[in-house]
Amino acid sequence: MLDRALGFMGHARDHIDRAATGAPHILHLVIPGDGGSVRRALSTIVDALRHMGVSVSLRGEIEIALAEALNNIVEHAFADLPRGVIEITLERRDDSFAVEVIDDGRPMPRGLPPCDATPVLDGKRAELPEGGFGWHLIRALTEQLSYSHAGGRNRLTFLVPIPPRARPN
Amino acid sequence: MNLVSEDIGALRVVTVDEARLDAAVAIQFKDSMRKLTESGPGRVVLDLSRVTFLDSSGLGAVVGALKQAGPARSVELAGLTATVAKVFHLTRMDTVFTIHPDINAAKAGLADAR
């Protein structure tokens, strides 16, 4: 799934693959790159995960990581650009959900995602940070995070681990 | 953005009547909280029990609400749902706020043991 060549569509397209068992194992959405579309996509994905029997805790972790990645794209990759397109793929594996997010916006500064800067909370109340939490949350909730920019597209991939007790036997 | 405010003695309870506190409503939330903390009781408890999802923008707005309330007014939290509690924990913001299990515990003045 992750190295499959996928063309962008000009309109939203939802697709759910079903495994031989009948249980859907891949979610695939192509959405416009704006805040409202991101919100609706998250709702669609969380509903689909619920139907897949994913626990409320894991649904929450996937939603947080995905929301931060998608909001970053809308706010930064598409800032001051005409509306772009975002392609989201989630694949259920034995021990994790593999997430791939592709957009046709600006590349990350210096070609790299921000490193994990744990928010500094030691100052006075007036000095508390009100931002900079997004990448910290993504990195805290995911493994094997990878980013590349090629052919005018950003591609971010990561795994959200499934807790051992919630894995299929 | 629906915020419901109720004063109980020296306590102002602000209930967030929204399922999501995210990028779409963060600025509106912070502005509404400014009006609700400009005057009135010195102790404000934010009831988040109806909020099932909070992202980094929502978190920033809750922190902003604390900061703009000023040093003379406390802003405490109550009723964090599982995903909201996870965001506070992962960012260590649970060490900044007084967090009550629910609004009744806040009224009784009992903070969550952490």
Side-chain angles (χ1 to χ4, degrees), chain B residues 45-90:
Chain B
V45 176
L46 201 51
D47 182 355
L48 294 173
S49 58
R50 294 175 196 172
V51 179
T52 55
F53 183 77
L54 171 119
D55 66 7
S56 60
S57 300
L59 177 67
V62 174
V63 175
L66 172 70
K67 290 166 70 174
Q68 71 193 6
R73 191 168 266 108
S74 75
V75 176
E76 304 168 20
L77 309 177
L80 272 59
T81 59
T83 300
V84 173
K86 189 163 284 173
V87 170
F88 273 86
H89 177 67
L90 290 173

Side-chain angles (χ1 to χ4, degrees), chain A residues 93-156:
Chain A
R93 298 180 179 171
D94 287 345
D95 56 359
S96 64
F97 272 88
V99 179
E100 179 187 60
V101 182
I102 296 174
D103 70 79
D104 56 357
R106 280 200 193 82
M108 300 239 194
R110 295 176 298 283
L112 293 169
C115 56
D116 185 1
T118 304
V120 176
L121 310 178
D122 302 331
K124 295 172 186 161
R125 182 195 280 196
E127 294 162 6
L128 286 170
E130 293 181 48
F133 307 116
W135 273 100
H136 175 71
L137 288 168
I138 293 171
R139 293 203 180 265
L141 292 167
T142 68
E143 296 174 353
Q144 295 182 38
L145 186 132
S146 161
Y147 166 79
S148 62
H149 181 82
R153 292 179 192 171
N154 296 301
R155 178 173 175 268
L156 180 72

Side-chain angles (χ1 to χ4, degrees), chain A:
Chain A
M1 172 276 293
L2 293 178
D3 47 26
R4 189 171 63 190
L6 292 160
F8 281 116
M9 303 290 284
H11 55 87
R13 172 167 59 93
D14 298 355
H15 174 65
I16 298 177
D17 269 358
R18 287 178 187 277
T21 58
H25 65 127
I26 291 179
L27 303 171
H28 182 216
L29 290 85
V30 179
I31 64 167
D34 63 80
S37 299
V38 163
R39 228 184 190 209
R40 285 190 291 278
L42 290 170
S43 170
T44 299
I45 288 166
V46 169
D47 281 348
L49 293 173
R50 187 185 301 119
H51 289 300
M52 289 164 75
V54 177
S55 71
V56 63
S57 169
L58 186 56
R59 291 201 302 266
E61 293 187 2
I62 293 169
E63 185 176 12
I64 295 167
L66 202 46
E68 299 301 341
L70 296 173
N71 286 337
N72 281 338
I73 291 168
V74 171
E75 288 168 27
H76 301 296
F78 291 148
D80 310 319
L81 288 179
R83 175 186 288 192
V85 174
I86 305 175
E87 178 164 354
I88 308 158
T89 310
L90 279 88
E91 180 185 23
R92 185 184 198 147
R93 298 180 179 171
D94 287 345
D95 56 359
S96 64
F97 272 88
V99 179
E100 179 187 60
V101 182
I102 296 174
D103 70 79
D104 56 357
R106 280 200 193 82
M108 300 239 194
R110 295 176 298 283
L112 293 169
C115 56
D116 185 1
T118 304
V120 176
L121 310 178
D122 302 331
K124 295 172 186 161
R125 182 195 280 196
E127 294 162 6
L128 286 170
E130 293 181 48
F133 307 116
W135 273 100
H136 175 71
L137 288 168
I138 293 171
R139 293 203 180 265
L141 292 167
T142 68
E143 296 174 353
Q144 295 182 38
L145 186 132
S146 161
Y147 166 79
S148 62
H149 181 82
R153 292 179 192 171
N154 296 301
R155 178 173 175 268
L156 180 72
T157 61
F158 54 78
L159 303 179
V160 180
I162 299 174
R165 66 182 182 282
R167 290 175 192 168
N169 293 319

